[in-house]
Amino acid sequence: MTFSITRRDLLIGSAAGLGAIGLTGCDEVAHSAKVQTVLAMAETLTMKSQRLLVPGDRLAREFSEADLSPTFRSNGTSQPDGDEYARMIATGFADWRLKIDGLVERPVALSLADLKRLPSRTQITRHDCVEGWSAIGKWTGVPLGPILQSVGLKPTARYAVFYCADQLEQSIDGSGTYYESVDLIDAFHPQTILAYQLNGKDLEVAHGAPLRLRVERHLGYKHAKYLMRIEIKESFASLWGGKGGFWEDRGYEWYAGI
């Protein structure tokens, strides 16, 4: 049994027991003492240990179409609030742009059509949610690594930060806006894609339309939905809680590798 499978069993197997305490969403999970204990246990299996024992380019398991789940639940927000996102839905995301900036030589703003013209990757993988459920889906999108290469990363670049359209909490300073981050090792992993299709169809709103992150060796809350911007940074210490993600700022671990 490999290290990565052992960690998956710890994280997912433990989280599966949460149904007994009646949890229905990540917000409730985040405030559960039981979940905090599970995540604290997982934190001891550090990113450095996993990186030492598991090659950086090791793929998450991929499945066949016969393994696809009959239904694929929506994790997190099912639709962002606000007039801006409603207008994007009404126009079929024609005016939506993914901004990529920060520590890059050539900032860009890419339309959905731009992204669909780029070489794509399709992968059938399992999504593991910290709430205790899993589902297998077929994702199609653009590998993130080549996009980052094309914009020219500056020498101090270390993290990719993903900003989303959904606000889980109302806040003046933006701390209630969903965001996530990965380091460049995971950003350049071959299975890290910006997905625009699920099971052969353009993403539905509930699944993160028009674009979501798939980072297949991590728990579901790392797979940011409703992407609006990717900022390349040296550190995320200056971002709100300084932990590198919406849930991380509220007690979850940052790496969340499985």
Side-chain angles (χ1 to χ4, degrees):
M1 180 176 292
T2 67
F3 181 88
S4 58
I5 293 175
T6 300
R7 183 179 173 88
R8 179 187 296 270
D9 290 342
L10 171 63
L11 287 165
I12 303 305
S14 300
L18 297 176
I21 55 176
L23 298 180
T24 58
C26 285
D27 188 43
E28 295 173 66
V29 172
H31 292 90
S32 164
K34 185 173 182 179
V35 173
Q36 291 301 322
T37 300
V38 170
L39 294 177
M41 291 169 59
E43 197 89 63
T44 64
L45 300 175
T46 63
M47 177 181 66
K48 290 184 179 179
S49 296
Q50 185 163 348
R51 292 263 170 84
L52 177 65
L53 296 173
V54 180
D57 59 353
R58 173 77 60 85
L59 299 182
R61 180 182 176 187
E62 296 193 16
F63 299 81
S64 71
E65 294 208 9
D67 299 311
L68 290 173
S69 298
T71 59
F72 199 105
R73 288 176 57 178
S74 167
N75 64 305
T77 304
S78 59
Q79 179 173 329
D81 294 329
D83 294 338
E84 181 181 3
Y85 189 80
R87 285 193 294 270
M88 287 192 286
I89 295 175
T91 60
F93 300 101
D95 298 326
W96 171 90
R97 297 292 185 272
L98 176 69
K99 297 178 181 178
I100 303 177
D101 57 14
L103 296 174
V104 302
E105 300 291 346
R106 296 173 292 278
V108 294
L110 301 172
S111 69
L112 191 56
D114 292 333
L115 291 167
K116 288 184 175 182
R117 281 192 289 267
L118 297 175
S120 67
R121 176 185 171 90
T122 296
Q123 56 202 33
I124 300 177
T125 53
R126 191 175 83 182
H127 179 99
D128 291 310
C129 183
V130 73
E131 295 173 43
W133 60 268
S134 299
I136 295 174
K138 181 171 73 172
W139 303 94
T140 298
V142 183
L144 177 58
I147 293 180
L148 296 184
Q149 286 181 319
S150 72
V151 298
L153 298 179
K154 294 185 177 180
T156 54
R158 187 178 176 190
Y159 298 99
V161 181
F162 304 88
Y163 300 94
C164 307
D166 49 333
Q167 281 202 339
L168 300 191
E169 297 175 359
Q170 296 298 317
S171 59
I172 296 175
D173 64 356
S175 60
T177 301
Y178 201 89
Y179 80 105
E180 260 301 342
S181 64
V182 299
D183 65 16
L184 294 185
I185 293 175
D186 283 315
F188 278 84
H189 187 271
Q191 289 174 314
T192 298
I193 65 174
L194 305 178
Y196 47 74
Q197 286 187 352
L198 171 60
N199 295 338
K201 299 179 180 179
D202 285 352
L203 288 180
E204 297 177 357
V205 169
H207 290 298
L211 195 72
R212 70 176 294 165
L213 175 67
R214 294 299 306 176
V215 55
E216 302 296 353
R217 301 190 302 175
H218 297 261
L219 286 171
Y221 62 87
K222 299 294 289 188
H223 300 231
K225 297 161 55 173
Y226 315 112
L227 292 182
M228 300 296 292
R229 178 189 176 203
I230 301 174
E231 182 185 18
I232 305 303
K233 295 181 70 67
E234 182 177 6
S235 167
F236 42 67
S238 62
L239 295 174
W240 300 301
K243 303 297 184 181
F246 178 89
W247 290 117
E248 290 88 329
D249 289 343
R250 291 155 178 81
Y252 277 38
E253 67 167 293
W254 173 76
Y255 184 57
I258 51 177

